[in-house]
């Protein structure tokens, strides 16, 4: 259907062509009617993107699926691998580690959550087994195996989800191609000025270096750390969380892969932060997230280079950031998405999830096409949802730091003793008291994620739910051992991650499928 | 495990349904782990005319408790409820609306029904929201509908009960002995406290007997006998949000044919609810004593409930919340923790929430500060969401009359204001934690009160008005066909109660 008047369209202008900008542009182009919404994206070839968010959460698959993205093609084009979770090494104390999987631990028996049964068995000394022995996805990860989850809910092979590691730069390019095909107008240029309505304070027009002027009704600030509109033009306030999350810099570098093609991200604690290892098809992404209060840039760079498993591909890039979030991500007629709206270190791979959640919420709350002034009621709801997402992720990240036994290391001593948000303190005390897990309906993370990290970071509950005692101990031992056996035998039948990638979406798979199409 | 001996004795103090619901549910759940539950039944005036309306979650709560539905309805002469009908008798000529225990409409081409309905309404005449709700349509025809496979295919359909309070209490109490509950029937109990935190050390009963527990449950209703006198007790009034301060309860004869829903009749001076059962019809009339006298209240209740009202009692209502429903070793459950406004009759549900949360946080050791903090957080949040739902009925009503004029001057809590503003702007219900009422209930209420959203989500724009109209028509036909195949409520009750008796 043709629009009756072009001017009746709500003009959406997205500033910035990184992951956030193109995720937003494509989703909008697919989900907003073209007759009533016009979408323009301004990006500059001269400005690099951060592209650090190379590891993701399982939600990204829902996002891609909703946009009709073919998984194998997407993985091939972004050199992606599968991700079953994150391995945390040396976080609790050097030499110890655990995996936070995208999957369940055990199953509830007699209406009692699994961890109570497990703790009870541990206390009785009957079966001194590790929590991870009851996670199908951890076992698969340790075996460097991968297969798609089974649809049959009764199968143990259905008890996990998966995400991806990919080249975020390529993902952006992949989305850009689709978005432009879907009708997004792409403008190359650098924004150098921003005009605002004197009365309402709304943004009316952007001026590019070329002199071109781009008018709009709704502006989406995806300009990353620079926060051109929300910070620069509107002066939106920032809530700083450095006192809880002291890391404020990162060195990032890619290297050749010599180790295994792991179906998981690795995070290894360091004296002043942590190093990530993200396996892609053709290389390994590495980075040292550190606190400038506790280590110099050059020492951090040395530590990173020393930790690489293969030849570095280029020189390490330094990123500076401050953890926190925008007080109001949606202000006037400007919505900040991605790094312009807040920053949380990539410890739990939440950056792309936070973009996705904001994009979904923005589309649901998008101003009606006929509206020419911004509706604060929609902005208030968007901000409430956005704040909730950020605050919940924040608490989960702080947990990784505060619960540590790395005595005598200044950063770790600081985070172990700092006061934490009440919302986190209450969760911790409840777990310590009765092994109860946080249970909220909205936002990250789910109970099993909390369980993995609480136990992994060495937090010992003093009790478990007494209802677990109803089970006869012998029957419980049998159930536990049968469950471990199910995990073992099923994982043994899985294909290796590298084989899976090669067959499904590797360069060889490209040749085969292209040949087949020819 | 640890040196801390776990809690072994729970003492529940109170009367009537709150006492016996708490006692039996706790005994049932905690018996298997060796916790002994005692009940101290205080002598209080019973209200023979009271009929509880309940919410759908009570059904599964009863199952866990071992209360069989047919047996309960037979012995209490209760009935089923598919929701609440609101009728404007105050003269504004606004159409009534039905708040059903079920969903409204089915998704069209993957898009939620509600925004499609809003769009259809904008483009022309469309059937009322409740015509798309199987539970509401069944109620309209006096039929009972259960979530069978065929019914579930049309959307969520749930049901609740109307149950005479005294008979319900009697049936629950009868379960106690088999659950190993020790019952003390006493006129009153004196509370002896100790320690700096005001922990209850023991109860001294009228008879001189001493009852001791590790944990005490205050199920004494609005008198809040245990929690109200605790040193840390802090009552937060909600009177800024609510106008009703009196509730008249009376008994009317049963309807010849028992409707499977409650009816709330709006008058200029308040509202009157009819809760029908097989034995009688419970009449509840809510009003503000500053505006209307007792005589007027009786007259209005009679106008709605019929001239043959009996067992009339009038009780004060003062909504508010105990800042810490769990204080030291005392947990307040029900009206002792939170006094709700009488609209929607959710007091049984409030008790259920208290029990469920207490059981999920039942102390594992004698140190339970963390559990207490979490319980208080969860309960206050849950109560506040209930408060918001009730408050919306007054704050956004457009009914005529001095009562309603005053009602609208009361303050809407911030969360409710946010919810209603979001609804007005986009037609969506802002998702919040600890909600009892699902989005469908909120939408039915807001729409029923006459709030029309300014816009709907963009996903709806992909579907043409013609397509929506066709699908709506199809839904109406399918629902009509399904519902008319369901039994009449009377027949269903007779068969259920009769067959079970045979």
């Amino acid at each position: 259907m043709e629009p009756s008047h072009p001017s009746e369209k709500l003009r959406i202008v997205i500033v910035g062509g990184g992951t956030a900008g193109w995720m937003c542009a494509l989703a909008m182009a697919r989900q907003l009617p073209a007759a009533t919404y016009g979408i323009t994206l301004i990006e500059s070839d001269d400005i690099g993107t951060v592209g650090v968010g190379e590891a993701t959460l399982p939600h990204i698959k829902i996002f891609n699926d909703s946009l009709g993205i073919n998984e194998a093609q997407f993985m091939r084009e972004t050199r992606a691998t599968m991700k079953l979770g994150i391995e945390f090494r040396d976080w609790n104390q050097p030499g110890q580690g655990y995996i936070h999987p995208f999957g369940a631990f055990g199953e509830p028996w007699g209406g009692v959550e699994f961890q109570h049964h497990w703790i009870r068995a541990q206390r009785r000394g009957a079966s001194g087994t590790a929590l991870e022995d009851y996670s199908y996805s951890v076992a698969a990860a340790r075996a460097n195996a991968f297969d798609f989850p089974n649809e049959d809910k009764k199968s143990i092979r259905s008890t996990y989800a998966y995400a991806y590691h990919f080249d975020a730069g390529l993902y952006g390019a992949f989305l850009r191609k689709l978005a432009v095909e879907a009708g997004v107008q792409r403008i190359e240029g650098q924004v150098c000025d921003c005009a605002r309505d004197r009365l309402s304070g709304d943004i009316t027009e952007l001026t590019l270096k070329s002199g071109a002027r781009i008018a709009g009704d709704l502006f989406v600030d995806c300009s990353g750390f620079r926060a051109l509109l929300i910070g620069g033009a509107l002066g939106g306030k920032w809530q700083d969380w450095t006192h809880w999350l002291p890391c404020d810099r990162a060195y990032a570098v890619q290297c050749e892969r010599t180790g295994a093609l792991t179906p998981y991200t690795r995070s290894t604690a360091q004296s002043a932060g942590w190093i990530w290892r993200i396996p892609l098809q053709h290389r390994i992404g590495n980075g040292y997230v550190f606190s400038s209060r506790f280590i110099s840039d050059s020492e951090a760079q040395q530590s990173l280079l020393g930790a690489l498993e293969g030849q570095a591909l280029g020189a390490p890039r330094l990123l500076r950031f401050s953890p926190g979030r925008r007080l109001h991500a949606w202000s006037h007629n400007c919505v900040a998405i991605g790094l312009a709206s807040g920053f949380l270190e990539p410890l739990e791979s939440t950056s792309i999830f936070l973009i996705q959640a904001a994009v979904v919420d923005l589309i649901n709350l998008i101003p009606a096409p006929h509206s020419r002034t911004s509706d604060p009621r929609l902005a208030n709801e968007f901000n409430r949802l956005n704040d909730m997402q950020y605050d919940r992720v924040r608490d989960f990240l702080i947990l990784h730091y505060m619960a540590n036994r790395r005595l005598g290391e200044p950063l770790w001593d600081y985070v172990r003793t700092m006061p934490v948000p009440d919302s986190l303190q209450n969760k911790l005390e409840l777990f310590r008291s009765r092994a109860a897990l946080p249970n909220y309906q909205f936002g990250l993370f789910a109970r099993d994620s909390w369980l993995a990290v609480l136990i992994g970071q060495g937090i010992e509950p003093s009790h478990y739910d007494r209802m677990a005692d109803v089970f006869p101990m012998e029957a419980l031992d049998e159930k536990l051992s049968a469950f471990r056996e199910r995990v073992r035998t099923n994982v043994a039948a899985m294909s290796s991650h590298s084989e899976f990638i090669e067959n499904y979406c590797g360069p060889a798979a490209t040749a085969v499928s292209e040949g087949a199409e020819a | 495990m640890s040196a801390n001996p776990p809690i072994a004795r729970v003492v529940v103090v109170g009367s009537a349904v709150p006492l016996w619901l708490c006692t039996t549910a706790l005994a049932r759940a905690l018996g298997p782990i060796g916790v002994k539950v005692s009940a101290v039944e205080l002598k209080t005036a019973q209200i023979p005319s009271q009929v509880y309306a309940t919410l759908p979650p009570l059904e599964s709560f009863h199952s866990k408790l071992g209360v069989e539905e047919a047996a309960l309805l037979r012995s209490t002469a209760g009935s089923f409820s598919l929701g609440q009908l609101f009728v404007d008798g105050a003269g504004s000529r606004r159409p009534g609306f039905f708040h059903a225990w079920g969903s409204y409409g089915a998704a069209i081409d993957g898009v939620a029904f509600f925004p499609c309905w809003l769009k259809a309404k904008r483009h022309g005449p469309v059937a009322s929201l409740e015509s798309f709700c199987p539970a509401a349509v069944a109620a309209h025809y006096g039929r009972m509908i259960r979530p069978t496979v065929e019914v579930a295919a049309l959307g969520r359909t749930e049901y609740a009960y109307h149950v005479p309070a005294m008979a319900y209490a009697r049936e629950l109490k009868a379960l106690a002995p088999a659950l190993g509950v020790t019952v003390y029937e006493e006129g009153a109990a004196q509370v002896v406290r100790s320690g700096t935190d005001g922990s209850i050390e023991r109860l001294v009963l009228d008879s001189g007997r001493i009852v001791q527990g590790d944990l005490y449950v205050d199920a004494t209703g609005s008198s809040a006998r245990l929690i109200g006198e605790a040193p840390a007790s802090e009552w937060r009034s909600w009177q800024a949000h609510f106008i009703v301060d009196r509730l008249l309860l009376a008994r009317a004869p049963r309807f010849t044919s028992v409707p499977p829903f409650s009816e709330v009749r709006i008058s200029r001076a308040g509202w009157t609810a009819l809760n029908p059962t097989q034995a009688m019809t419970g009449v509840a009339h809510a009003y503000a004593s500053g505006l209307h006298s007792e005589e007027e209240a009786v007259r209005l209740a009679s106008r709605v409930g019929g001239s043959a009202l009996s067992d009339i009692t009038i009780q004060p209502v003062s909504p508010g919340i105990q800042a810490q429903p769990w204080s030291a070793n005392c947990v307040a459950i029900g009206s002792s923790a939170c006094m709700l406004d009488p609209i929607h009759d959710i007091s049984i549900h409030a008790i259920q929430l208290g029990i469920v949360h207490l059981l999920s946080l039942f102390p594992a050791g004698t140190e339970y500060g963390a559990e207490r903090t979490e319980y208080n957080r969860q309960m206050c949040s849950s109560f506040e969401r209930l408060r918001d739902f009730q408050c919306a009925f007054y704050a956004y009503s457009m009914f005529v009359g001095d009562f309603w004029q005053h009602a609208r001057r009361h303050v809407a809590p911030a969360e409710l204001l946010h919810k209603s503003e979001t609804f007005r702007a986009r037609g969506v219900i802002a998702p919040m934690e600890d909600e009892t009422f699902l989005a469908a209930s909120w939408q039915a209420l807001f729409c029923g009160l006459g709030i029309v959203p300014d816009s709907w989500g963009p996903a709806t724009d992909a579907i043409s008005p013609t397509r929506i109209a066709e699908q709506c028509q199809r839904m109406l036909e399918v629902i009509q066909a399904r519902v008319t195949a369901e039994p009449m409520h009377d027949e269903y009750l007779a068969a259920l109660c009769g067959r079970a008796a045979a």
Side-chain angles (χ1 to χ4, degrees):
Chain A
M1 222 194 298
E2 286 292 309
S4 33
H5 294 290
S7 66
E8 280 188 2
K9 282 192 184 187
L10 189 99
R11 298 161 302 174
I12 300 171
V13 179
I14 301 168
V15 175
T19 316
W22 287 113
M23 281 177 76
C24 185
L26 178 60
M28 285 183 161
R30 287 279 167 80
Q31 290 168 5
L32 297 177
T36 43
Y37 292 90
I39 301 153
T40 302
L41 185 145
I42 305 169
E43 68 175 338
S44 166
D45 296 339
D46 299 335
I47 300 174
T49 58
V50 171
V52 164
E54 297 188 319
T56 56
L57 296 180
H59 308 73
I60 185 79
K61 181 167 159 51
I62 300 169
F63 184 79
N64 284 351
D65 287 354
S66 75
L67 300 176
I69 289 174
N70 175 292
E71 186 180 65
Q73 187 200 354
F74 141 76
M75 291 187 70
R76 200 155 49 229
E77 294 196 18
T78 61
R79 314 309 309 272
T81 65
M82 294 300 192
K83 176 180 173 188
L84 293 168
I86 306 175
E87 181 190 24
F88 291 94
R89 281 193 181 173
D90 307 336
W91 273 81
N92 175 17
Q93 55 187 33
Q96 287 192 2
Y98 63 96
I99 288 182
H100 164 201
F102 302 137
F105 288 97
E107 55 194 6
W109 291 317
V112 178
E113 287 174 12
F114 176 76
Q115 77 273 12
H116 301 292
H117 296 298
W118 174 71
I119 293 168
R120 176 172 175 236
Q122 286 238 314
R123 301 280 156 92
R124 297 290 174 95
S127 19
T129 49
L131 180 63
E132 71 170 52
D133 294 343
Y134 302 92
S135 165
Y136 183 73
S137 38
V138 172
R142 296 252 185 239
N144 287 329
F146 185 83
D147 245 327
F148 288 122
N150 198 313
E151 303 270 318
D152 177 7
K153 292 285 165 232
K154 277 175 282 181
S155 165
I156 195 162
R157 295 183 177 210
S158 72
T159 60
Y160 66 102
Y162 66 91
Y164 315 102
H165 304 109
F166 55 62
D167 181 325
L170 294 177
Y171 184 53
F174 176 78
L175 296 178
R176 172 166 63 193
K177 195 163 132 253
L178 296 175
V180 170
E181 281 168 16
V184 173
Q185 188 194 3
R186 173 181 178 269
I187 296 177
E188 145 67 27
Q190 269 192 52
V191 175
C192 62
D193 195 27
C194 171
R196 297 175 64 186
D197 184 87
R198 272 190 207 161
L199 222 57
S200 67
D202 282 5
I203 298 172
T204 53
E205 196 174 72
L206 304 178
T207 307
L208 306 186
K209 260 190 181 163
S210 63
R213 292 169 163 198
I214 318 288
D217 303 305
L218 182 74
F219 292 83
V220 186
D221 188 346
C222 296
S223 65
F225 291 132
R226 286 167 305 136
L228 276 179
L229 308 183
I230 195 82
L234 299 176
K237 284 190 188 135
W238 180 266
Q239 194 174 78
D240 183 78
W241 291 340
T242 314
H243 52 297
W244 287 318
L245 295 165
C247 288
D248 58 355
R249 290 181 194 186
Y251 267 112
V253 71
Q254 290 142 14
C255 75
E256 289 175 351
R257 178 164 63 83
T258 59
L261 189 66
T262 56
Y264 55 89
T265 307
R266 178 176 300 141
S267 160
T268 310
Q270 304 290 312
S271 64
W274 58 279
I275 285 180
W276 77 71
R277 175 192 185 270
I278 298 175
L280 302 188
Q281 291 182 22
H282 57 307
R283 59 169 166 80
I284 301 285
N286 308 275
Y288 186 176
V289 177
F290 61 96
S291 169
S292 61
R293 267 171 64 198
F294 296 98
I295 194 172
S296 71
D297 289 359
S298 61
E299 279 177 279
Q301 188 175 7
Q302 283 310 308
S303 302
L304 176 62
L305 291 172
L308 298 183
E309 67 186 62
Q311 188 71 40
L313 306 167
R317 279 194 305 149
L318 180 65
L319 302 161
R320 294 161 201 269
F321 47 79
S322 46
R325 68 164 163 80
R326 205 59 65 182
L327 208 54
H328 305 296
W330 184 335
S331 170
H332 293 281
N333 62 341
C334 173
V335 185
I337 291 183
L339 300 175
S341 73
F343 181 84
L344 285 165
E345 57 185 82
L347 186 54
E348 283 286 354
S349 318
T350 46
S351 313
I352 288 181
F353 168 80
L354 290 169
I355 295 171
Q356 174 183 348
V359 167
V360 169
D361 289 340
L362 176 56
I363 289 175
N364 286 333
L365 296 168
I366 200 86
H370 50 82
S371 62
R372 277 296 174 270
T373 52
S374 51
D375 186 340
R377 299 173 301 179
L378 297 172
N380 286 343
E381 173 63 355
F382 178 89
N383 288 335
R384 189 184 69 92
L385 295 169
N386 193 63
D387 296 353
M388 182 191 68
Q389 295 285 7
Y390 267 95
D391 296 359
R392 291 194 160 163
V393 171
R394 175 202 68 196
D395 281 4
F396 192 60
L397 296 190
I398 296 172
L399 170 65
H400 295 67
Y401 282 101
M402 63 166 295
N404 79 78
R405 286 173 225 178
R406 297 180 65 110
L407 303 176
E409 294 177 276
L411 166 76
W412 297 96
D413 287 343
Y414 168 75
V415 292
R416 192 174 50 251
T417 50
M418 68 186 172
V420 302
D422 287 347
S423 46
L424 174 58
Q425 191 63 42
N426 294 344
K427 293 179 179 83
L428 269 171
E429 283 170 11
L430 201 60
F431 184 75
R432 286 205 175 102
S433 182
R434 60 185 296 105
L437 297 167
N439 189 14
Y440 40 80
Q441 203 182 341
F442 307 105
L444 301 176
F445 276 84
R447 276 187 285 198
D448 282 310
S449 290
W450 282 94
L451 179 62
V453 178
L454 284 161
I455 293 289
Q457 294 290 146
I459 298 196
E460 294 255 346
S462 49
H463 302 277
Y464 54 82
D465 188 338
R466 289 168 65 187
M467 305 291 177
D469 287 334
V470 174
F471 247 80
M473 200 61 210
E474 256 176 43
L476 178 60
D477 278 336
E478 267 172 40
K479 273 186 168 300
L480 288 169
S481 114
F483 197 93
R484 290 195 303 272
E485 192 52 32
R486 272 171 83 197
V487 169
R488 266 198 303 272
T489 50
N490 277 281
V491 166
M494 283 174 105
S495 60
S496 87
H497 181 221
S498 54
E499 273 169 29
F500 181 93
I501 293 295
E502 203 170 306
N503 295 332
Y504 186 61
C505 56
T510 319
V512 171
S513 67
E514 279 171 2
E517 277 163 25
Chain B
M1 289 263 300
S2 105
N4 286 337
I7 287 181
R9 299 163 304 171
V10 175
V11 178
V12 188
V13 182
S15 59
V17 171
L19 170 69
W20 298 115
L21 205 51
C22 288
T23 302
T24 52
L26 294 175
R28 177 90 188 181
L30 300 174
I33 56 166
V35 174
K36 189 95 185 75
V37 177
S38 321
V40 176
E41 185 180 27
L42 304 178
K43 292 272 181 302
T44 52
Q46 301 286 304
I47 304 175
S49 54
Q50 188 167 19
V51 171
Y52 284 115
T54 65
L55 294 191
L58 189 64
E59 193 254 348
S60 72
F61 189 76
H62 274 169
S63 310
K64 285 189 198 120
L65 186 54
V67 172
E68 204 240 324
E69 184 170 272
L72 177 75
L73 295 183
R74 186 173 61 240
S75 57
T76 61
S79 66
F80 290 98
S81 170
L82 295 168
Q84 310 164 285
L85 174 66
F86 291 85
V87 179
D88 185 358
S92 73
R93 283 192 241 156
R94 297 187 51 77
F97 67 96
F98 198 90
H99 170 214
W101 307 134
S103 58
Y104 294 73
I108 299 177
D109 301 340
V111 176
F113 176 76
F114 185 70
C116 292
W117 179 78
L118 287 177
K119 181 174 172 173
K121 217 163 127 77
R122 187 74 61 88
H123 283 89
V126 64
S128 67
L129 186 59
E130 63 220 44
S131 339
F132 297 93
C133 172
V137 175
H140 177 76
Y141 288 113
R143 292 179 185 273
M144 175 56 194
I145 191 167
R146 298 183 73 110
T148 56
V149 176
E150 299 80 31
V151 170
L154 306 181
R156 177 176 55 88
T157 297
E158 297 176 317
Y159 62 85
Y161 311 109
H162 291 133
V163 48
M166 281 176 67
Y168 185 35
R170 187 190 66 223
E171 291 306 308
L172 290 170
K173 183 179 180 179
L175 299 174
L179 292 168
V181 174
T182 312
V183 178
Y184 303 90
E185 293 177 357
E186 295 287 334
Q190 187 203 336
V191 181
V192 179
R193 295 177 194 274
S194 69
T196 45
D197 64 348
S199 289
I200 298 174
E201 196 186 271
R202 62 182 183 271
L203 302 177
V204 183
L205 307 184
D206 268 3
S207 56
R209 269 192 295 191
I210 287 172
V211 179
Q212 276 189 300
D214 304 307
L215 193 71
Y216 296 82
V217 174
D218 184 344
T220 63
S222 55
S223 63
R225 290 287 311 282
L226 306 189
I227 197 85
E229 291 159 19
S233 171
E234 184 198 338
W235 182 255
R236 290 183 186 155
S237 170
W238 284 346
Q239 276 164 321
H241 308 304
F242 292 99
I243 179 174
V244 171
D245 67 353
R246 291 288 185 279
L247 183 67
L248 176 154
L249 294 173
R251 174 211 294 265
R254 64 160 278 169
F255 287 99
T256 320
S257 174
V258 181
F261 57 89
S262 69
E263 180 174 328
V264 178
R265 193 82 62 87
I266 309 301
S267 65
R268 286 168 175 261
W271 54 263
T272 312
L274 300 178
N275 291 339
T277 70
Q278 297 179 76
M280 60 160 162
T281 300
V283 179
H285 176 75
Y287 65 101
S289 63
L291 299 172
H292 300 278
S293 66
E294 288 191 3
E295 292 71 32
E296 282 176 283
V298 172
R299 195 165 46 76
L300 274 166
S302 310
R303 192 187 293 169
V304 176
S307 53
L309 290 191
S310 57
D311 291 329
I312 298 177
T313 62
I314 293 179
Q315 56 187 43
V317 175
S318 52
I321 188 172
Q322 192 61 245
Q324 294 184 32
W326 184 343
S327 174
N329 62 347
C330 174
V331 185
I333 292 182
S335 305
S336 52
C338 177
M339 185 96 164
L340 293 159
D341 183 87
I343 192 68
H344 311 303
D345 203 348
I346 40 190
S347 58
I348 295 291
H349 187 73
I351 296 171
Q352 184 182 338
L353 284 176
I355 295 169
V356 168
H357 282 120
L358 176 59
L359 286 175
S360 80
L361 289 167
F362 193 77
T366 46
E367 296 291 323
Y368 46 79
E371 280 90 340
R372 195 165 49 210
T373 303
E374 177 64 6
Y375 179 87
N376 288 334
R377 189 194 64 74
Q378 287 177 352
M379 289 312 299
C380 288
S381 171
S382 303
F383 285 142
E384 284 167 5
R385 298 293 75 75
L386 289 173
R387 172 204 64 192
D388 292 350
F389 192 75
Q390 296 188 310
C391 189
F393 175 69
Y394 298 100
Y396 306 129
S397 68
M398 295 190 217
F399 306 121
V400 179
D402 54 350
F403 174 88
W404 300 100
Q405 260 172 20
H406 279 86
R408 285 188 285 272
R409 282 187 211 137
H410 286 64
V411 196
E415 292 88 350
L416 172 60
L417 195 60
H418 179 83
K419 207 174 253 158
S420 64
E421 288 295 288
T422 305
F423 184 77
R424 284 178 206 273
R426 185 40 48 96
V428 293
I429 302 301
M432 293 185 185
E433 301 284 346
D434 306 309
E435 283 276 17
T436 288
F437 290 101
L438 302 176
S441 283
W442 282 96
Q443 285 162 345
L445 179 69
F446 281 153
C447 283
L449 293 173
I451 301 178
V452 181
D454 296 339
S455 67
W456 50 78
T460 320
D461 289 337
I463 313 170
S464 73
T466 325
R467 169 82 181 151
I468 294 177
E470 282 166 11
Q471 288 299 301
C472 284
Q473 189 53 40
R474 209 183 58 80
M475 270 180 236
L476 292 175
E477 286 162 14
V478 173
I479 290 172
Q480 195 73 19
R482 181 68 252 157
V483 165
T484 45
E486 300 293 329
M488 293 301 290
H489 183 223
D490 285 328
E491 292 164 16
Y492 188 77
L493 274 176
L496 186 77
C497 297
R499 211 174 25 238

